[in-house]
Amino acid sequence: MRPSYFTSESVTEGHPDKVADRISDAVLDAVLERDPFGRVACEVLVTGGLVVIAGEISSEFSPDLESVARRVIADVGYTDERLGFSADGCRVQIEVQQQSPDIAGGVDRALEVRGGSDDQYDQLGAGDQGIMFGFASNETEDLMPMPIQLAHRMAERLAEVRRAGTLDYLRPDGKTQVSVEYLDDRPVRVSRLLISTQHSPDVSLQTMESDLWKHVVDVIPADLIDGNTDLMVNPSGRFELGGPAADTGMTGRKIVVDTYGGFARHGGGAFSGKDPTKVDRSASYAARFAAKNIVAAGLADKIELQIAYAIGRAKPFSILVDTFGTGRIPNHELEHLIAETFDFRPAAIIDHLGLRSAIYEPTSTYGHFGRPQFSWEQMDMVAALRSATG
């Protein structure tokens, strides 16, 4: 067997794109906290000393968007004006309008209702057309691909040691990358690691390499690391200027980081800043929920699930399954089982996963999947799936 290598990356909460994602989701939470039926499509740009909040918000409650943005920026760690971007020093520009009445009409009164249905879950149409993917694999405990899961945990630890003062020379912006070696489609070791992290001027590369190996790489299970595992730190040299002062950030530019690290296909729609009537978000969560339960039930070792929607229609446009040859039953039978077991109409997804609550800001960094605190990561359909397949 010849080994193959798969690499995924993650970024810290101080990365410019993630600052934008988090502000977008904080705006969404601020609306949903007071108006669970509010409609939000919030896009954010951060650059230099400027934050632009744009998009569509239709709600009975109007949050103080500037205060939301400044609070997030401070929480992330941009509080020192010497970093070139700070919560108190930036300018916040608001460019927000109401949702299009054409979109609102199709969402609030779905095609099925216009055709005579009185089913409560037929009331809400998809907020947009689109193609969503869900994925799960039994190669990790959280049923996620190992490269992205390890990259997230390293990025998370990088932020933890900065916040705790363990490595007080670190700054908020950073990236991680993990290469995993596979034999016969199973992960066997970590071959290479990369950490790029913003830092103060008074620390040497040698010190960072030693400290990061000790305090950040240790999040990776020891049995995956060996004497040939390579760690690369800041390969460009110095990384003193970072965050929005060095690089413009925008909502929705880290969609592969947010999902499966490139291990599965992606329909192209971003998540952050979108209320759950937007199936880009809610149906992606539902697809992950279904995929994870299928693998947990032992019906496949690995599965990719595609769900497609038409705007204004409640029922999915199509459902497709690929188990990559690992399924216990044929793919067409599994597609039928999934359609019978899981309700992918937007209103049903929102109800079952509890998506009208202010839960979204924590999703904006370190991945939307593979984190057990989120409802779409629960495995409460395993028994039903096992029962249905005998």
Side-chain angles (χ1 to χ4, degrees):
M1 294 181 294
R2 295 185 62 183
S4 61
Y5 300 86
F6 197 95
T7 301
S8 294
E9 73 158 347
S10 183
V11 297
T12 66
E13 61 203 32
H15 186 281
D17 293 330
K18 280 297 156 196
V19 174
D21 280 343
R22 185 167 173 181
I23 294 172
S24 294
D25 275 333
V27 168
L28 172 61
D29 280 352
V31 172
L32 294 181
E33 191 171 17
R34 297 282 294 274
D35 179 8
F37 293 89
R39 299 283 168 80
V40 178
C42 179
E43 312 290 342
V44 173
L45 177 147
V46 293
T47 183
L50 175 66
V51 176
V52 179
I53 302 175
E56 296 78 45
I57 298 178
S58 298
S59 172
E60 297 177 356
F61 172 66
S62 298
D64 183 343
L65 302 185
E66 180 175 341
S67 294
V68 170
R70 295 191 190 280
R71 190 269 300 167
V72 166
I73 295 165
D75 284 351
V76 167
Y78 289 111
T79 56
D80 188 342
E81 291 191 18
R82 291 174 296 179
L83 297 181
F85 180 77
S86 69
D88 293 333
C90 66
R91 180 165 59 92
V92 180
Q93 180 178 331
I94 312 294
E95 301 290 343
V96 170
Q97 58 186 349
Q98 294 281 313
Q99 184 183 53
S100 161
D102 293 338
I103 295 175
V107 173
D108 293 334
R109 194 167 183 268
L111 181 65
E112 289 85 347
V113 171
R114 284 173 272 152
S117 173
D118 60 0
D119 188 313
Q120 63 169 330
Y121 289 143
D122 279 342
Q123 305 296 312
L124 188 69
D128 201 351
Q129 76 173 51
I131 303 163
M132 277 55 71
F133 289 92
F135 182 84
S137 169
N138 65 6
E139 66 183 61
T140 64
E141 183 177 335
D142 293 314
L143 305 186
M144 285 287 287
M146 184 175 287
I148 186 63
Q149 198 73 334
L150 294 180
H152 282 321
R153 300 295 76 80
M154 282 181 57
E156 207 168 22
R157 178 62 62 86
L158 192 60
E160 287 174 2
V161 297
R162 170 182 62 85
R163 287 177 172 276
T166 306
L167 303 180
D168 59 3
Y169 52 78
L170 294 180
R171 299 293 181 260
D173 195 358
K175 290 184 176 184
T176 62
Q177 200 161 278
V178 176
S179 293
V180 174
E181 180 179 319
Y182 285 78
L183 284 175
D184 195 24
D185 205 31
R186 303 302 301 174
V188 294
R189 60 183 289 271
V190 170
S191 62
R192 176 167 284 185
L193 302 165
L194 171 61
I195 300 175
S196 294
T197 180
Q198 186 184 9
H199 57 84
S200 66
D202 56 353
V203 62
S204 69
L205 183 60
Q206 292 73 23
T207 295
M208 283 195 294
E209 287 177 348
S210 175
D211 287 347
L212 293 174
W213 188 270
K214 178 180 179 181
H215 296 288
V216 176
V217 175
D218 69 335
V219 78
I220 294 179
D223 61 344
L224 296 173
I225 301 287
D226 59 31
N228 293 318
T229 301
D230 179 40
L231 172 64
M232 187 178 297
V233 175
N234 285 3
S236 65
R238 307 296 290 175
F239 187 1
E240 296 175 23
L241 184 64
D247 186 17
T248 296
M250 296 180 66
T251 301
R253 288 207 301 201
K254 286 290 178 282
I255 58 175
V256 171
V257 170
D258 286 343
T259 52
Y260 305 102
F263 219 89
R265 287 175 286 190
H266 198 295
F271 300 159
S272 289
K274 296 178 180 178
D275 75 76
T277 67
K278 280 73 171 176
V279 286
D280 277 341
R281 182 167 218 159
S282 55
S284 294
Y285 291 172
R288 163 63 179 172
F289 175 71
K292 186 173 184 181
N293 276 268
I294 289 290
V295 172
L299 300 182
D301 295 337
K302 180 165 61 175
I303 184 172
E304 183 182 75
L305 172 63
Q306 183 202 66
I307 311 173
Y309 288 86
I311 189 170
R313 185 177 190 262
K315 294 182 176 65
F317 193 76
S318 66
I319 297 175
L320 177 69
V321 164
D322 188 354
T323 60
F324 309 94
T326 71
R328 308 296 183 263
I329 60 177
N331 283 350
H332 70 276
E333 293 183 17
L334 192 53
E335 286 172 11
H336 179 74
L337 175 63
I338 289 171
E340 290 293 312
T341 307
F342 300 93
D343 193 336
F344 293 117
R345 291 174 293 178
I349 295 170
I350 291 168
D351 187 26
H352 183 75
L353 298 182
L355 300 183
R356 291 203 186 275
S357 302
I359 59 172
Y360 296 101
E361 189 176 341
T363 69
S364 62
T365 46
Y366 313 121
H368 292 246
F369 306 128
R371 300 165 68 193
Q373 66 264 43
F374 300 137
S375 61
W376 49 93
E377 291 295 316
Q378 304 312 304
M379 294 178 286
D380 52 8
M381 298 298 290
V382 169
L385 289 165
R386 286 175 175 165
S387 176
T389 54

